Amino acid sequence: MIGQALNRVDGPMKVTGRATYAYEYGEAGRPLYGVIVGATIGKGRITRIDTEDAERAGGVSMVMTHQNAPEQGPRDESVSFEYWRAQPVLTGPDVHYYGEPVALVVAGTFEQARAAADLVDVEYATGRGRFVFAADDDETYIPKVVNAGLPTDTAVGDFDAGFSNAAVSVDQLYTTPYELSMPMEPHACLVEPRGEDLVVHVSSQIVDAARTSVAATLRTDPARIHIVTPFVGGGFGSKLGIHAETILAALAARALHRPVKVALTRQQVFQLVGVRPTSSQRVRLGAGHDGRLAAIAHDVTMHTNPDLEFAEQTAATTRSLYAAPHRLTSHRLTPLDLPRGSDVRAPGEAPGLLAVESAMDELAEALGMDPVELRIRNEPTVDPERDVPYSDRHLVDCLREGARRFGWEHRPATPASVREGRWLVGCGMSAAIRGHFQGPTTVRVRLEADGTAVVQTDMTDIGTGTYTVLTQVTGDGLGLPPERVRIELGRSELPASWGSGGSWGAANSSTAAHRACAALREQLLVTARGDARSPLHGRDPADAVFAEGSVRIGDASQTLSEIVAGHHPDGMEAEGQTLFMGDDPNYAAYSIHTYGAHFAEVGVDADTAEIRLRRMLGVFSVGRVLNAKTARSQLIGGMIWGTGAALEEEAVVDPRSGAFVNRDLAQYLVPVHADIPDIDAVILDGYDDKANPLGAKGVGELGICGAGAAVANAVFNATGIRVRDFPITIEKVLPGLPPMDG
């Protein structure tokens, strides 16, 4: 069953509206509604806050500010991962960024709370805010580590010598903007007090992190916090941790002894859930006339909030991608009074490959070499910085198969040389790489007396197919059809996992489920073989086959329900686990990644510089595929996000206040159906036995990696115009368009 294109088992619930999301809980319990009041300055201090009019407004139960907010636990930097730390709010009068919560208004209806929120009168002493990013800022500094605990800088060989002696070189600066995750479901929660406990219905990607963070903030026993999140309407990194709406709802529910709902507006999402840092990336490539790289350097400077450091691992993408004896990577941070940087859709790899793969295209142009061939010539045999073997690397296969399927041999060799009517037509490509991560995860599989399997883990489904994939893995492991497998997810009382994020969710939870099924099979065989009444009594377990709800050894068989009901009438269960990657020797001994190759064709209007994607292909190597349909869907979704990063996405900061001025989906552009025509994703057969026993690796974010660069390189091929400041917009292309004939 593993690998089949099984339809989503939760699909009928979603399309009929029976899948309940965080904000949809609690209507029968008559919850109160909270609305957050945000700061209208980007830096400074509250000098006066008057809540009397708001408190007198109809239906208002509470107005919480820093003056009456309960004491909360401080952020503990000794906690290794950000999302497990306390997240205190309303802790004082200081304002650190525009939109930071300064009050919560709670009332009987949402409309009452929203109206009263407008009555909160706040006066500020405005401070000197730093809102404009400059890579050469005097305050730029070196972080100790970057995201995921990776080293800040790396150096191999003598880059300066290798680069200066190279026959052909590229030295360019690429800039990427602030971006946001923009899930369809805004961040929302309902918190219900039950005695000393709180039940938190929240849209969260990692249940254990949410529970630990809420408990640490409220200074309570984590056992008192019950997280419920069976369905998440998208996250893309923005829901890895909990945010102000959840903490404020919890504080209010505790104080009022009533359920409290709080949802961020789409505008508040822009200020309160973290952004991808803007970046300035210098990429230097030095090569011989044969195209072989002698030197490669990737130096990144990005913004960070001065109080909440975040260093995206943007240059880490370059460390394992291409062979070159002389190498440098570095990360630097420039503090700005803006919302903290955060994980956004393939953090590090997405913006990093946008720059590096654009630079590789520039090198191919300088050499007069085919871009696919250039990448193949620089294929390493071992990880060039760690000096360990790759676990399973098929990047060259992706490149060749993609070129064949796309018809790359027909690509215009000369930029701006092909026109169809008013459209300039061009093709571009790029390589893709993403690290495969593994985190501690436990899955419990229980067999009921009727032969039904129940899979339990706090793992979440953010729309990527967790319910379906775990159904397949468990059905395969116990020989059960999908309808006899039930999946229970997203509750903190279930065995803990690292949830959904970083493309680790499916592989972690599936591996743990696979191991739990193996333990159950062993228990079943021991029970059956030890029962003199069983047809399997005394048979060799090595010959056992689990299929169609039965176990068969030779010509004898017995149903699972007979074995369980006869000896374990209350059911039987087993747990499977995965380790943190730092505790798994394979992750030290091998370089474990996923790979891909993107190919894109664009048309650029010769009069208006309007850019249209015409077709796009991605070919990927991800080890073993768990579900062919959901994997392809995720990869296509990633390719669409990559296209958006190349052509559309950009959050613009008002340099006077630090506010994002285009903070809605009318002005913050993401791809829509009309932008995306013919896209296909092909997955090569594979199995990476160093990643896990299933041989499967992460899929979700790989589709984004490199996709934007393929589109950018196609724009250059169509027009001869190289845009290095992303996104590529009409204003950046129009001045350089070649004149129309005649």
Side-chain angles (χ1 to χ4, degrees):
M1 192 185 303
I2 294 177
Q4 293 180 12
L6 183 69
N7 288 336
R8 292 176 184 261
V9 298
D10 54 325
M13 293 185 67
K14 290 182 175 178
V15 299
T16 58
R18 292 179 291 119
T20 305
Y21 291 81
Y23 202 69
E24 298 172 332
Y25 283 94
E27 290 303 323
R30 300 191 50 158
L32 301 172
Y33 292 81
V35 168
I36 294 173
V37 179
T40 56
I41 64 170
K43 183 70 174 178
R45 185 177 180 85
I46 298 170
T47 56
R48 185 182 70 88
I49 184 163
D50 185 348
T51 62
E52 289 186 5
D53 289 345
E55 290 169 337
R56 287 196 298 263
V60 171
S61 299
M62 165 187 281
V63 179
M64 186 186 299
T65 71
H66 72 276
Q67 296 172 334
N68 63 347
E71 187 176 354
Q72 300 157 64
R75 293 175 53 83
D76 184 355
E77 302 297 331
S78 69
V79 176
S80 299
F81 297 103
E82 163 70 21
Y83 302 116
W84 278 259
R85 296 172 186 164
Q87 304 289 340
V89 293
L90 301 181
T91 57
D94 292 334
V95 175
H96 305 91
Y97 56 89
Y98 187 95
E100 182 179 9
V102 297
L104 175 76
V105 178
V106 183
T109 69
F110 170 72
E111 291 76 13
Q112 290 172 329
R114 182 175 60 184
D118 289 337
L119 300 176
V120 177
D121 185 18
V122 188
E123 293 181 0
Y124 304 94
T126 303
R128 178 183 173 274
R130 299 163 294 180
F131 308 129
V132 178
F133 174 74
D136 57 355
D137 192 290
D138 290 341
E139 296 186 56
T140 295
Y141 68 95
I142 305 173
K144 292 181 180 179
V145 295
V146 298
N147 198 26
L150 296 172
T152 301
D153 298 348
T154 60
V156 176
D158 185 342
F159 172 79
D160 290 337
F163 185 71
S164 62
N165 293 327
V168 180
S169 63
V170 168
D171 184 350
Q172 294 292 353
L173 197 67
Y174 304 87
T175 56
T176 63
Y178 301 101
E179 295 175 351
L180 291 102
S181 296
M182 288 294 106
M184 185 178 294
E185 177 201 24
H187 301 68
C189 67
L190 164 70
V191 181
E192 297 181 85
R194 294 183 185 174
E196 295 296 316
D197 292 8
L198 292 177
V199 179
V200 183
H201 302 272
V202 61
S203 190
S204 174
Q205 293 177 234
I206 309 178
V207 168
D208 188 59
R211 180 186 210 177
T212 304
S213 182
V214 171
T217 309
L218 271 57
R219 292 183 164 176
T220 191
D221 184 347
R224 295 290 189 186
I225 305 298
H226 308 276
I227 304 295
V228 181
T229 179
F231 297 100
V232 179
F236 310 111
S238 69
K239 297 175 183 174
L240 288 169
I242 54 93
H243 301 287
E245 82 284 350
T246 306
I247 297 302
L248 290 170
L251 293 172
R254 215 183 200 189
L256 296 169
H257 306 288
R258 289 278 304 277
V260 176
K261 281 187 173 187
V262 182
L264 298 183
T265 65
R266 181 62 67 180
Q267 290 76 19
Q268 287 174 327
V269 166
F270 278 78
Q271 303 292 159
L272 296 181
V273 305
V275 302
R276 187 195 298 285
T278 188
S279 77
S280 174
Q281 304 181 47
R282 184 186 183 190
V283 181
R284 288 171 287 173
L285 306 174
H289 290 296
D290 61 356
R292 299 189 187 278
L293 287 168
I296 183 169
H298 190 182
D299 301 302
V300 182
T301 304
M302 69 196 82
H303 108 280
T304 187
N305 181 280
D307 302 301
L308 301 171
E309 181 180 285
F310 178 81
E312 189 169 19
Q313 66 274 34
T314 308
T317 58
T318 310
R319 295 171 183 171
S320 300
L321 184 52
Y322 296 120
H326 306 294
R327 320 174 63 86
L328 282 178
T329 67
S330 71
H331 300 84
R332 300 294 180 264
L333 297 178
T334 298
L336 297 178
D337 299 305
L338 297 174
R340 75 179 301 271
S342 188
D343 293 307
V344 174
R345 304 187 228 120
E349 288 90 348
L353 285 170
L354 197 54
V356 169
E357 286 300 285
S358 293
M360 284 292 285
D361 197 69
E362 297 206 45
L363 180 61
E365 180 70 15
L367 288 164
M369 182 177 291
D370 181 89
V372 173
E373 178 60 27
L374 174 64
R375 287 162 173 82
I376 292 174
R377 289 194 184 185
N378 288 286
E379 174 70 1
T381 55
V382 298
D383 188 296
E385 299 208 8
R386 294 180 56 203
D387 196 29
V388 296
Y390 291 101
S391 62
D392 180 62
R393 181 173 168 120
H394 296 284
L395 176 56
V396 171
D397 295 332
C398 293
L399 291 165
R400 286 178 170 152
E401 181 65 11
R404 183 188 70 80
R405 287 173 177 262
F406 189 78
W408 182 252
E409 70 273 14
H410 302 302
R411 164 187 173 267
T414 303
S417 62
V418 174
R419 178 173 290 172
E420 295 179 5
R422 74 175 197 266
W423 294 98
L424 298 166
V425 180
C427 297
M429 59 79 54
S430 69
I433 185 173
R434 190 174 194 283
H436 174 69
F437 300 99
Q438 179 175 290
T441 296
T442 301
V443 173
R444 180 189 304 129
V445 179
R446 179 177 178 80
L447 266 177
E448 304 289 5
D450 63 357
T452 298
V454 181
V455 182
Q456 297 176 319
T457 174
D458 75 358
M459 169 68 180
T460 51
D461 192 325
I462 58 174
T464 48
T466 306
Y467 284 100
T468 307
V469 168
L470 287 180
T471 296
Q472 292 177 261
V473 171
T474 304
D476 188 84
L478 296 176
L480 295 173
E483 59 271 17
R484 290 180 62 184
V485 179
R486 186 172 80 250
I487 311 297
E488 296 180 2
L489 301 177
R491 288 190 292 115
S492 53
E493 283 65 43
L494 300 176
S497 74
W498 256 21
S500 300
S503 299
W504 60 62
N508 284 346
S509 57
S510 294
T511 297
H514 172 76
R515 287 172 169 151
C517 289
L520 270 179
R521 291 197 306 270
E522 185 175 344
Q523 291 181 37
L524 288 163
L525 288 171
V526 168
T527 298
R529 292 178 62 249
D531 181 2
R533 298 167 297 174
S534 170
L536 304 178
H537 178 66
R539 299 264 181 162
D540 185 355
D543 299 327
V545 175
F546 286 76
E548 299 177 350
S550 299
V551 56
R552 184 176 68 253
I553 302 178
D555 58 357
S557 68
Q558 189 174 15
T559 66
L560 303 189
S561 58
E562 289 173 342
I563 300 172
V564 177
H567 298 273
H568 305 278
D570 295 328
M572 56 192 301
E573 62 186 37
E575 290 188 348
Q577 296 180 327
T578 61
L579 298 174
F580 172 60
M581 57 191 293
D583 300 321
D584 186 329
N586 276 354
Y587 285 80
Y590 296 93
S591 183
I592 305 178
H593 296 81
T594 53
Y595 306 94
H598 296 278
F599 297 82
E601 180 183 289
V602 303
V604 181
D605 191 297
D607 293 318
T608 68
E610 174 188 355
I611 302 168
R612 285 292 177 187
L613 182 68
R614 292 160 61 106
R615 62 190 178 103
M616 194 171 187
L617 168 70
V619 178
F620 304 97
S621 172
V622 296
R624 186 183 187 186
V625 171
L626 299 173
N627 181 301
K629 183 177 291 187
T630 59
R632 180 176 180 272
S633 176
Q634 285 192 66
L635 289 165
I636 288 176
M639 293 165 69
I640 293 170
W641 279 128
T643 301
L647 301 179
E648 296 178 324
E649 283 195 73
E650 180 180 18
V652 179
V653 174
D654 185 334
R656 300 164 300 176
S657 66
F660 289 114
V661 296
N662 56 334
R663 53 183 184 269
D664 58 45
L665 289 177
Q667 299 177 82
Y668 180 87
L669 302 181
V670 297
V672 297
H673 286 298
D675 298 320
I676 305 299
D678 181 15
I679 286 190
D680 193 15
V682 176
I683 307 175
L684 303 180
D685 289 339
Y687 184 94
D688 190 338
D689 64 347
K690 305 300 185 299
N692 51 60
L694 286 173
K697 294 184 285 192
V699 172
E701 293 163 297
L702 178 63
I704 310 171
C705 299
V711 175
N713 295 336
V715 172
F716 170 76
N717 186 247
T719 64
I721 300 166
R722 183 75 67 179
V723 177
R724 303 181 183 93
D725 176 33
F726 293 97
I728 304 172
T729 58
I730 288 174
E731 297 83 354
K732 298 170 187 176
V733 175
L734 188 60
L737 282 177
M740 292 288 289
D741 294 336

